[in-house]
Structures are given as C-alpha cells and as structure tokens.
Amino acid sequence: NRRLRQALTRLNQRAAEVFSLRHFEGYDNREIARMLGTSSGTIAVTLNRARKQLMGELREFAGGSNS
C-alpha cells in the first residue's frame, strides 16, 4: 500500500485524484465525472492511463528491490 501511494505521487494531480476517488473512495465513473465537471468517458480514459502508469511504477519498485 505504501508503494502504491508513492507511485500515486508520480501521477499528475488530476489522474491521482480520479484514481483515488475510484479506488479508495469507491465512486463510480459517472459520479466522478459529475464531481469534476467532465464526461464519464474522460474519466475512463484517465483511469486507464493512470492504471498503466501505476503498473509501470510498481514494476519499477519491484525490480529495484531485487537488485
């Protein structure tokens, strides 16, 4: 969980906010879109990009811990 939070700090602020609202706060894409004044499609794209970046960051952490 600490590593995930560290990786979140490397996302841009909007992506980190969207990811947190979805995965930590439990809001759905439509609710997040309403809160942030955008479309649920934009939220879906933002989440997909954030997840991909986080996976890369977490792989980097994991790879670094084995060296």
Side-chain angles (χ1 to χ4, degrees):
N1 198 6
R2 183 180 60 79
R3 287 185 177 161
L4 175 58
R5 291 192 187 277
Q6 284 179 317
L8 278 170
T9 66
R10 295 187 182 194
L11 295 178
N12 71 53
Q13 185 177 352
R14 179 71 157 210
E17 179 181 23
V18 168
F19 185 90
S20 295
L21 286 168
R22 181 74 172 105
H23 294 288
F24 297 138
E25 302 297 326
Y27 292 103
D28 66 29
N29 290 7
R30 189 179 47 194
E31 291 169 317
I32 297 167
R34 196 175 317 121
M35 283 187 262
L36 301 180
T38 191
S39 71
S40 57
T42 297
I43 297 302
V45 169
T46 301
L47 280 170
N48 187 48
R49 289 178 180 163
R51 288 179 188 126
K52 285 182 181 180
Q53 185 176 341
L54 287 171
M55 289 298 291
E57 296 286 342
L58 293 172
R59 278 191 205 104
E60 196 175 296
F61 281 131
S65 67
N66 292 334
S67 299

